């Protein structure tokens, strides 16, 4: 049984599936357990779990309908191209032209079946990409702690959570031991939230203040807890947000009313007519789907109208005769304008594009984004885990009395034995900040020898730390908070690993107590007993500004401690800023021996112990950029894409990382002061500006630090006001508004929430910025290929239509026009000859320069001026050659007798007409196949697609073999023409032509003329665009390949690099 949605009636946040009398956070856990029927000792029994699962449904976010085969099938039938074919089929059967009707029926069925299965597979692929927030949960049932699938957690389940778990449902806590959760996905709060199970709170508190509740999909960062699940699935806080995002608008147009609420009859008529037109538009696909699909649906409607006009022209030229031959001619002319395989080829190309995306770590959630990716002009990216690795490493350690230790970390951040360490006897603010390797490596043992201050520093680093770093076999692994792991790895470099200090045959230290990190004091401390001396010590780390206020002394030399003064505190802060400017997160370390012993069983007051500390030094942690980030950002610049970094980090850290990966230009000092200020801002600075102020900025910020969710939305809106096409990354629920507002929303597959993924257009499975560039490259490649096969198909349609319309002049003894191409011949060229090569064009690899072009213009789309002009030129040239072939056989070498009834059946009198028709058909087939190869590059010569190649006469052979699908599709097109020409019955009764012999000579000559015409046109285009390029900006760049630079009036394209 499926649970009802909480949005169907009045639902109070926090009351859960069972509708508690008050929100769970305002009730004691005993009251929650009583109302929900939970057992806080032994949990639910299996029978009760089964009953509740049936009552409340599975613990998951509702599907948005899933794959709906009926809708997919309807879309295949409800488009203008199929409707034209169905109309032609009906006419053919109506005049008892059974063969033509049967062939058209086969084409209709083939289109629908292939289109249905391709789109069904594409929808299934996308539907299967959803991920669960947590695969398993620990529940207590019948007194046993068992692991169950998260989707089977029910209200009333007693669940246990520990560090690293994902909370499986909204849980009212019963017990919480040092329990903290990361609620950034839900509230945007970057710091973990400390939970308190005993609190009872006010009803109207927001989610971020409900400290006695753990929320579904949040992550446990510290401690352990036990609680009662009171809300599952769509009744959780994340479920409520997901439901709000999925609301769909009504398809019925609202009636416009007056201020008093009344409306006249004409307003009702207006609303009904608009609703009806919307329904027709949805049926034909002209107002639903991706921008390209809508354009092609509108094109189909236009071609439908043109087909009807062409049919009327045919009837008019034959005095609206009701003869079967005339009607069949009209049907043939109508069919000639329908690119019947277009929708199938487009669907297959897009489905193949989604599969290629998956291979490049990108999951496409809707086909609209496939087109939109090629038009992206700006990428707004997070820093942590996207531009950076999300793995902290220690790069600097400063001990005031000694100097600065620099670490050159290895590729594996968990390996303390790799990398180099160097020492510089000065403070960070006085350092030249050379890398460790440039200063010369020193061994940890040499640095530690006789260095008591470093020893004290390392004790704090190792013991004020809950992370574990150890070697398992040949691999190093770590467990815990990333910051603490990095500090533990640094201590392990000097053989001061926490495990080695606390375990083994002769452990040196014993843990006594722990004060976890508190967001109020921004410190954490541990108390240890030195086993040999029985002395107790407190080790503390935390935010520099807070910790130095707790310190009363510092070692400025090896001779002894010095009292802390304001000047010394200011000097420490200056060194902190120096480290932050390097892109480091800076923490302070301190310690002191305790004069009085602490009872491990007591509850000591941290405020009494975390005072009068000895400042030991600073430690600078670095989240290294991914190795590919800098090159990817540079590639974005070459592709005409601006990268903006929106991060929650300190401005100094954000600026340093942005400089390192290339988001900020390296020579900022050469730019104007106003430009530099605009490039780097904090969220508070940006949010204080009005929209007019933002629009007046010389440039939009490339870096926004301390970024809030609303700042991201404002950034997207500012980009839109500048007519930019923006992509936005996000991982949390709070990112959903900006992901929805962006032209392309990009969610993180590893760190992202289900709600963020639902709000996004694409998902990165590796959370890597470089994958965004992969997606853009793939989007541009697909756009190019769609442009190529659309041009190929429509040029063929124009050629066929012109051939038939001009062919109206060929009239027989009965004054009835004799068609140069039969209906089945036209369908053969559209579906068989052109269909497979068009798919091959859809599989073409990306041009080498595809990321050196400016972004595409979606407003113009694939139908640029150049494409439309090419379409006409290729269509007219093909038609003229086909008509000349028909005329040569009929009048040049034949007697010019058009016979009688030659549109319907073969006779001796029609032999010349049938041979002329076969020659015309062979020419059209060859031209369609050769044109597919010519479309591989829309400007370069087929014989010279790689200008840099030394294979002057054979390079074209390598080019045609490179795309093997296209090669074999064209070969199949050449081979399959022969059965249609020479198999009896098929040639006379179906295709209405005769096998040819000497006429092949005409076909070969016409093919040579076809290549000559196409190559001449391409040559003229190259000359024209070179001159245009020189007028615009003199350049030596080769401009023969399409680029997507649609700013120029004639849609000039940029070059493709030559390949060897």
């Amino acid at each position: 049984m499926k649970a009802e949605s909480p949005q169907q009636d009045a639902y109070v946040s926090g009351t859960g599936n069972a509708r508690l009398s008050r929100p769970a956070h305002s009730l004691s856990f005993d009251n929650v357990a009583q109302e929900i029927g939970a057992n806080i000792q032994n949990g639910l029994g299996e029978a009760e779990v089964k009953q509740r699962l049936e009552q409340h449904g599975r613990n998951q976010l509702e599907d948005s309908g899933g794959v709906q085969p009926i809708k997919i099938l309807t879309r295949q039938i409800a488009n203008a191209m199929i409707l034209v074919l169905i109309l032609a089929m009906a006419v053919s059967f109506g005049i008892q032209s059974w063969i033509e009707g049967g062939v058209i029926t086969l084409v209709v069925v083939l289109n629908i079946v292939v289109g249905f299965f391709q789109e069904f597979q594409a929808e299934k692929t996308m539907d299967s990409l959803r991920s669960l927030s947590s695969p398993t949960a620990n529940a207590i049932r019948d007194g046993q702690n068992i692991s169950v699938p998260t989707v089977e957690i029910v209200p009333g389940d007693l669940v246990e959570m520990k560090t690293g778990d994902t909370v499986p449902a909204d849980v009212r806590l019963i017990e919480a031991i040092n329990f903290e959760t990361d609620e950034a996905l839900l509230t945007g709060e970057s710091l973990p939230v400390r939970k308190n199970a005993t609190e009872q709170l006010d009803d109207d508190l927001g989610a971020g203040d409900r400290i006695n509740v753990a929320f579904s999909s949040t992550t446990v960062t510290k401690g352990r807890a036990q609680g009662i699940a009171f809300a599952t699935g769509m009744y959780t806080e994340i479920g409520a947000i997901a439901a709000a995002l999925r609301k769909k608008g009504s398809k019925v147009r609202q009636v416009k009313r007056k201020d008093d609420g009344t409306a006249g009859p004409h307003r009702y008529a207006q609303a009904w007519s608009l609703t009806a037109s919307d329904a027709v538009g949805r049926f034909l696909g002209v107002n639903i789907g991706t921008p390209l699909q809508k354009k092609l649906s509108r094109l189909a409607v236009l071609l439908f109208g043109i087909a009807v006009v062409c049919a009327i022209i045919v009837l008019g030229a034959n005095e609206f005769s009701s003869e079967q031959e005339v009607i069949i001619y009209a049907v043939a002319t109508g069919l000639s304008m329908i690119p019947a395989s277009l929708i199938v080829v487009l669907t297959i190309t897009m489905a193949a594009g989604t599969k290629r995306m998956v291979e490049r770590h990108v999951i496409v959630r809707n086909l609209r984004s496939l087109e939109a990716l090629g038009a992206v002009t700006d990428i707004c990216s997070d820093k942590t885990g996207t531009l950076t690795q999300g793995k902290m490493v220690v790069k600097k350690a400063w001990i005031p009395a000694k100097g600065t230790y620099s670490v050159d970390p290895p590729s594996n951040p968990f390996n303390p034995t790799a990398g180099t360490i160097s020492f510089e006897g000065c403070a960070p603010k006085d350092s030249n900040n050379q890398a460790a390797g440039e200063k010369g490596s020193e061994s940890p043992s040499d640095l530690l020898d006789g260095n008591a201050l470093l020893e004290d520093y390392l004790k704090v680093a190792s013991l004020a730390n809950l992370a574990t770093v150890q070697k398992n076999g040949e691999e190093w692994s770590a467990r815990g908070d990333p910051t603490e792991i990095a500090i533990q790895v640094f201590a392990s470099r000097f053989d001061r690993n926490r495990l080695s200090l606390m375990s083994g045959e002769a452990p040196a230290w014993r843990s006594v107590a722990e004060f976890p990190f508190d967001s109020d004091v921004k410190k954490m401390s541990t108390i240890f007993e030195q086993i040999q001396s029985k002395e107790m010590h407190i080790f503390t780390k935390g935010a520099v500004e807070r910790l130095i206020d707790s310190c009363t002394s510092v070692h400025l030399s090896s001779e002894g401690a010095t009292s802390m003064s304001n000047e010394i505190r200011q000097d420490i802060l200056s060194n902190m800023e120096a480290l932050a400017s390097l892109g480091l997160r800076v923490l302070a370390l301190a310690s002191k021996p305790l004069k009085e012993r602490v009872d491990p069983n007591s509850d000591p007051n941290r405020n009494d112990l975390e005072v009068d500390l000895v400042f030991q030094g600073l430690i600078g942690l670095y989240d290294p950029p991914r190795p590919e980030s800098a090159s990817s950002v540079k590639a974005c610049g070459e592709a005409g894409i601006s990268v903006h970094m929106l991060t929650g980090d300190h401005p100094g850290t954000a600026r340093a990382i942005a400089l390192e990966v290339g988001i900020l230009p390296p020579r900022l000092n050469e730019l104007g002061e106003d430009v530099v200020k605009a490039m780097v801002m904090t969220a508070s600075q940006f949010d204080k500006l009005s929209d007019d102020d933002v629009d007046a900025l010389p440039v939009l910020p490339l870096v926004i630090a301390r970024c809030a969710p609303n700042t991201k939305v404002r950034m997207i809106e500012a980009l839109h006001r500048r007519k930019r096409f923006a992509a936005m990354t996000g991982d949390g629920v709070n990112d959903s508004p900006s992901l929805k507002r962006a032209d392309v929303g990009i969610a993180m597959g590893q760190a992202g929430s289900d709600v963020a993924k639902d709000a996004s257009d694409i998902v990165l499975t590796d959370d890597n910025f470089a994958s965004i560039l992969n997606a853009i490259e793939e989007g541009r490649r697909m756009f190019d290929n769609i442009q190529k096969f659309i041009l190929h198909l429509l040029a063929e349609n124009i050629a066929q239509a012109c051939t038939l319309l001009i062919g109206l002049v060929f009239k027989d003894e009965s004054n009835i026009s004799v068609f140069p191409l039969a209906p089945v011949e036209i369908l053969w060229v559209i579906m068989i000859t052109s269909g497979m090569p068009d798919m091959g064009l859809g599989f073409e690899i990306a041009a080498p320069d595809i990321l050196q072009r400016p972004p595409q213009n979606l407003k113009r789309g694939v139908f640029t001026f150049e494409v439309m002009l090419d379409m006409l030129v290729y269509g007219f040239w093909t038609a003229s050659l086909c008509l000349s072939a028909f005329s040569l056989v009929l009048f040049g070498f034949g007697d010019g007798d058009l016979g009688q009834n030659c549109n319907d059946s073969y006779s001796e009198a029609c032999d010349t007409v049938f041979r002329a028709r076969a020659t015309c058909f062979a020419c059209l087939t060859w031209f369609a196949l050769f044109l597919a190869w010519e479309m591989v590059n829309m400007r370069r010569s087929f014989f010279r697609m790689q200008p840099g190649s030394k294979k002057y006469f054979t390079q074209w052979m390598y080019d045609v073999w490179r795309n093997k699908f296209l090669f074999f599709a064209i070969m199949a097109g050449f081979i399959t023409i022969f059965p249609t020409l020479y198999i009896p019955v098929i040639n006379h009764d179906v295709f209405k032509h005769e096998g040819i012999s000497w006429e092949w000579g005409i076909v070969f000559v016409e093919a040579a003329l076809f290549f000559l015409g196409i190559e001449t046109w391409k040559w003229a285009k190259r000359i024209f665009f070179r001159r245009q390029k020189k007028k615009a900006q003199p350049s030596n760049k080769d401009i023969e390949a399409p680029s997507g630079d649609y700013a120029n009036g004639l849609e000039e394209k940029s070059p493709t690099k030559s390949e060897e």
Side-chain angles (χ1 to χ4, degrees):
M1 175 180 174
K2 188 176 179 179
E4 61 175 339
S5 171
Q7 280 67 41
Q8 291 174 351
D9 49 28
Y11 170 71
V12 179
S13 172
T15 56
N17 307 56
R19 308 298 172 88
L20 300 171
S21 60
R22 296 174 63 191
H25 61 269
S26 60
L27 296 171
S28 68
F29 57 76
D30 286 322
N31 288 339
V32 172
Q34 184 177 356
E35 288 194 27
I36 207 169
N39 185 325
I40 61 176
Q41 277 79 40
N42 297 318
L44 299 175
E46 286 301 322
E48 180 68 15
V49 169
K50 184 177 180 181
Q51 186 271 327
R52 295 191 183 202
L53 191 61
E54 291 179 355
Q55 177 185 354
H56 299 294
R58 290 166 69 85
N59 178 29
Q60 61 187 5
L61 301 183
E62 288 178 355
D63 289 329
S64 57
V67 179
Q68 298 173 312
I70 298 300
K71 283 190 175 182
I72 295 174
L73 183 61
T74 302
R75 285 199 296 268
Q76 301 308 312
I77 299 172
N79 65 75
M81 295 184 192
I82 294 296
L83 293 181
V84 170
L85 291 173
I86 293 174
L87 182 61
M89 176 185 70
V91 170
S92 298
F93 284 135
I95 62 173
Q96 298 181 358
S97 184
W98 309 117
I99 292 176
E100 284 77 6
V103 172
I104 297 173
T105 302
L106 181 63
V107 170
V108 170
V109 172
L110 183 66
N111 260 287
I112 292 173
V113 170
V114 173
F116 172 80
F117 280 108
Q118 286 295 334
E119 188 166 347
F120 182 78
Q121 288 299 322
E123 293 277 356
K124 287 286 288 182
T125 299
M126 292 181 207
D127 193 61
S128 67
L129 296 174
R130 286 181 46 82
S131 61
L132 296 174
S133 58
S134 177
T136 60
N138 291 317
I140 297 175
R141 291 179 179 173
D142 290 326
Q144 300 294 318
N145 189 327
I146 60 174
S147 178
V148 299
T150 299
V151 294
E152 295 180 8
I153 292 292
V154 298
D157 253 329
L158 188 62
V159 297
E160 290 188 343
M161 299 156 286
K162 62 183 184 303
T163 302
D165 287 351
T166 299
V167 180
D170 283 0
V171 176
R172 174 59 169 94
L173 298 174
I174 297 172
E175 179 185 36
I177 309 298
N178 288 341
F179 188 65
E180 296 182 5
T181 60
D182 180 359
E183 296 181 356
L185 295 175
L186 181 66
T187 65
E189 174 59 49
S190 60
L191 295 174
V193 177
R194 186 75 179 270
K195 298 295 183 178
N196 187 334
T198 60
E199 292 279 354
Q200 277 185 248
L201 308 169
D202 294 336
D203 288 22
D204 57 356
L205 279 183
D209 297 319
R210 300 175 191 175
I211 60 174
N212 56 10
V213 171
F215 296 104
S216 175
S217 294
T218 60
T219 304
V220 180
T221 58
K222 191 173 293 182
R224 62 182 180 84
Q226 189 180 78
I228 304 166
F230 67 87
T232 60
M234 296 300 287
Y235 288 86
T236 61
E237 290 301 309
I238 278 188
I241 295 174
L245 285 171
R246 286 177 178 159
K247 285 181 180 177
K248 296 182 179 178
S250 172
K251 293 179 180 178
V252 178
R253 292 289 189 105
Q254 297 298 313
V255 178
K256 290 185 178 180
R257 300 180 182 275
K258 299 176 183 178
D259 294 338
D260 59 1
T262 62
H266 67 288
R267 290 300 186 187
Y268 284 94
Q270 181 189 48
W272 295 337
S273 62
L274 289 174
T275 300
S277 66
D278 288 344
V280 173
R282 285 193 299 272
F283 182 80
L284 295 176
V286 298
N287 56 10
I288 58 171
T290 72
L292 179 59
Q293 287 172 332
K294 286 190 281 189
K295 281 187 178 181
L296 293 180
S297 295
R298 293 184 188 117
L299 172 67
V301 173
L302 175 64
L303 292 176
F304 175 88
I306 295 175
V308 172
V309 170
C310 289
I312 293 173
I313 290 173
V314 171
L315 294 173
N318 289 274
E319 300 175 353
F320 291 95
S321 170
S322 59
E323 292 284 341
Q324 184 186 48
E325 290 184 72
V326 175
I327 297 174
I328 283 295
Y329 200 131
V331 168
T333 308
L335 290 175
S336 71
M337 285 307 301
I338 303 303
S341 62
L342 178 58
I343 301 299
V344 173
V345 174
L346 180 66
T347 303
I348 292 173
T349 300
M350 286 189 160
T354 61
K355 292 177 182 177
R356 285 175 63 101
M357 291 275 199
V358 172
E359 295 170 4
R360 305 189 75 176
H361 310 293
V362 178
I363 294 170
V364 178
R365 298 193 67 253
N366 64 65
L367 293 178
R368 183 192 71 84
S369 60
L370 278 177
E371 305 161 33
L373 282 166
V376 168
T377 61
D378 293 76
I379 300 173
C380 298
S381 174
D382 191 12
K383 178 186 76 70
T384 304
T386 306
L387 288 163
T388 63
Q389 298 178 23
K391 297 176 181 178
M392 290 283 189
V393 294
V394 172
K395 291 200 77 172
K396 298 285 184 180
W398 175 57
I399 300 175
K402 290 295 181 181
T404 305
Y405 298 85
S406 300
V407 181
D408 186 14
S411 57
N412 180 3
F414 301 151
N415 186 355
T417 63
T420 58
I421 304 176
S422 65
F423 174 70
E424 190 176 9
C426 63
K429 66 178 184 177
D430 302 319
S431 172
N432 59 11
N433 293 322
Q434 286 180 298
E438 296 175 1
K439 301 171 187 175
S441 175
E442 299 185 42
S443 70
S445 58
D446 291 342
L447 292 170
L448 195 58
D449 186 25
N451 194 338
L453 294 177
L454 177 58
E455 186 77 55
D456 291 342
Y457 180 95
L458 293 172
K459 288 175 187 174
V460 183
S462 178
L463 298 177
N465 197 318
L466 302 180
T468 301
V469 176
Q470 58 188 349
K471 190 174 185 180
N472 298 318
E474 297 298 319
E475 295 293 327
W476 285 89
S477 62
R479 185 175 67 252
D481 177 79
T483 300
E484 293 196 331
I485 289 173
I487 297 174
Q488 193 66 248
V489 170
F490 177 74
S492 300
R493 292 181 180 278
F494 296 88
D495 198 24
R496 296 297 183 269
N497 188 295
R498 175 187 171 91
L499 292 177
S500 66
L501 294 176
M502 295 178 59
S503 59
E505 296 181 1
W509 296 88
R510 181 177 67 88
S511 177
V512 177
E514 173 198 334
F515 301 126
F517 178 85
D518 189 305
S519 58
D520 291 330
V521 299
K522 296 189 182 299
K523 290 180 289 190
M524 75 84 63
S525 298
T526 56
I527 298 175
F528 277 81
E529 179 185 31
Q530 193 172 26
I531 294 176
Q532 186 174 0
S533 66
K534 302 299 183 183
E535 289 183 354
M536 287 194 173
H537 294 254
I538 182 169
F539 302 108
T540 305
K541 73 173 185 293
V544 180
E545 316 90 90
R546 296 296 185 90
L547 195 57
I548 58 176
D549 289 336
S550 301
C551 295
T552 55
S553 60
V554 57
H555 288 278
L556 298 180
S557 68
S558 302
E559 297 178 0
T562 302
S563 296
M564 184 70 77
S565 64
N566 289 333
E567 290 78 10
I568 295 174
R569 288 190 176 94
Q570 190 57 49
D571 184 67
I572 293 172
L573 292 174
S574 297
N575 282 289
M576 179 198 73
E577 291 292 341
L579 293 175
S581 68
L582 301 177
L584 306 182
R585 181 189 179 192
V586 187
L587 298 177
L589 306 182
S591 65
K592 74 170 183 179
L594 296 177
K595 296 177 181 179
E596 297 181 2
R597 295 186 63 80
V598 174
D599 184 357
N601 298 317
S602 66
D603 188 13
N605 187 341
R606 70 186 299 171
N607 295 328
D608 296 335
L609 297 173
E610 291 177 337
V611 294
D612 300 328
L613 300 174
V614 179
F615 180 79
Q616 298 293 349
L618 301 178
I619 191 163
L621 301 111
Y622 179 59
D623 185 6
R626 293 178 182 267
E628 61 273 21
S629 288
S631 59
S632 297
V633 170
K634 181 181 179 182
C636 284
E638 294 175 351
I641 300 169
S642 298
V643 180
H644 306 260
M645 187 170 79
L646 280 58
T647 176
D649 278 339
H650 183 277
T653 304
R655 181 188 178 107
I657 294 294
L659 282 167
E660 185 168 353
V661 300
I663 291 176
L664 290 174
R667 296 186 294 275
L668 281 175
N669 58 329
E670 297 179 7
L671 301 174
E673 185 179 352
D674 58 335
V675 175
V676 174
K677 284 184 178 179
M679 281 185 172
V680 183
M681 286 187 175
T682 63
S684 59
Q685 292 171 333
F686 186 75
D687 290 339
K688 286 177 183 176
L689 300 176
S690 67
D691 288 348
D692 291 338
D693 293 334
V694 171
D695 295 340
L697 292 173
V699 292
L700 284 177
L702 296 177
V703 176
I704 298 182
R706 303 298 190 200
C707 193
N710 185 59
T711 311
K712 292 185 175 184
V713 174
R714 287 203 69 205
M715 184 66 173
I716 292 294
E717 291 172 346
L719 287 166
H720 285 166
R721 289 196 300 273
R722 297 194 180 205
K723 308 301 181 186
R724 308 291 285 177
F725 201 84
M728 171 68 75
T729 68
D731 52 14
V733 173
N734 58 306
D735 290 326
S736 298
S738 59
L739 291 173
K740 281 283 189 184
R741 192 69 60 88
D743 299 293
V744 180
I746 305 172
M748 302 296 111
Q750 296 176 353
S753 66
D754 278 351
V755 177
K757 293 171 189 175
D758 283 347
S760 68
D761 298 302
I762 66 174
V763 178
L764 306 183
T765 58
D766 60 354
D767 294 7
N768 192 338
F769 181 83
S771 296
I772 302 176
L773 195 64
N774 291 340
I776 290 173
E777 180 182 359
E778 193 62 29
R780 291 188 179 189
R781 180 198 70 84
M782 202 179 64
F783 187 94
D784 278 1
N785 293 345
I786 290 173
Q787 194 174 54
K788 291 172 186 176
F789 71 67
I790 286 178
L791 171 57
H792 180 255
L793 269 173
L794 296 184
E796 287 300 310
N797 286 125
I798 291 172
Q800 291 172 146
C802 289
T803 300
L804 289 169
L805 290 175
I806 298 172
L808 287 170
V809 300
F810 303 121
K811 294 198 173 185
D812 62 11
E813 298 171 2
S814 303
N815 201 33
I816 291 176
S817 297
V818 176
F819 44 66
L821 291 169
V824 176
E825 288 178 328
I826 290 168
L827 288 173
W828 183 269
V829 172
I830 292 173
M831 292 299 300
I832 307 301
T833 304
S834 295
M836 295 303 287
D838 284 329
M839 291 182 197
L841 287 173
F843 299 146
E844 267 293 306
I845 63 172
D849 76 322
I850 201 162
L851 290 178
Q852 277 80 51
R853 310 175 184 175
Q856 291 144 355
N857 187 323
L858 283 185
K859 188 174 182 181
R860 292 188 180 93
V862 294
F863 296 103
T864 65
F865 184 86
E866 181 184 351
V867 167
M868 291 188 288
L869 190 57
D870 284 349
M871 199 184 300
L872 294 172
V873 171
Y874 297 152
F876 289 147
W877 180 239
T878 301
S880 62
L881 291 175
C882 288
L883 286 169
S884 65
F886 184 83
S887 300
L888 276 171
V889 174
L890 190 60
F891 300 108
F893 296 96
D895 56 9
D897 183 10
L898 289 164
Q900 192 171 8
N901 202 28
C902 293
N903 285 347
D904 184 50
S905 59
Y906 176 81
S907 65
E908 285 295 328
C910 292
D911 183 73
T912 304
V913 172
F914 271 50
R915 296 176 75 90
R917 192 177 289 150
T919 307
C920 184
F921 172 64
C923 286
L924 182 62
T925 302
W926 280 30
F927 297 162
L929 297 172
F930 288 141
L931 186 60
W933 265 330
E934 287 280 5
M935 289 300 97
V936 169
N937 194 297
M938 291 166 58
R939 291 195 187 154
R940 285 189 175 142
S941 168
F942 168 74
F943 303 99
R944 201 78 181 119
M945 288 190 186
Q946 319 300 338
S949 173
K950 303 299 182 184
K951 303 178 181 72
Y952 298 106
F953 302 105
T954 58
Q955 180 60 46
W956 64 273
M957 298 180 185
Y958 295 93
D959 291 332
V960 300
W961 179 245
R962 178 175 45 77
N963 185 339
K964 293 179 177 59
F965 187 98
L966 179 60
F967 176 82
F968 286 113
I970 291 175
M971 289 300 103
F974 280 120
I975 293 169
T976 53
I977 190 176
F978 293 101
T980 70
L981 288 172
Y982 298 109
I983 295 178
V985 180
I986 290 178
N987 56 3
H988 286 177
D989 297 344
V990 178
F991 284 86
K992 304 290 191 281
H993 60 211
E994 172 66 287
I996 56 177
S997 54
W998 58 268
E999 290 89 350
W1000 282 111
I1002 295 176
V1003 176
F1004 278 101
V1005 172
E1006 296 276 359
L1009 290 173
F1010 174 80
F1011 269 116
L1012 180 62
I1014 302 297
E1015 291 295 324
T1016 301
W1017 175 249
K1018 284 188 172 184
W1019 172 79
K1021 284 205 302 179
R1022 292 195 295 272
I1023 297 297
F1024 173 79
F1025 285 120
R1026 280 199 189 99
R1027 290 178 177 173
Q1028 289 292 106
K1029 191 77 172 180
K1030 286 179 181 178
K1031 289 179 182 178
Q1033 50 178 26
S1035 172
N1036 293 324
K1037 287 180 71 177
D1038 173 28
I1039 48 84
E1040 293 182 4
S1043 75
D1045 179 5
Y1046 304 119
N1048 296 328
L1050 292 174
E1051 321 305 331
E1052 180 176 345
K1053 310 275 186 178
S1054 69
T1056 304
K1057 291 179 182 175
S1058 60
E1059 295 176 344
E1060 290 295 329

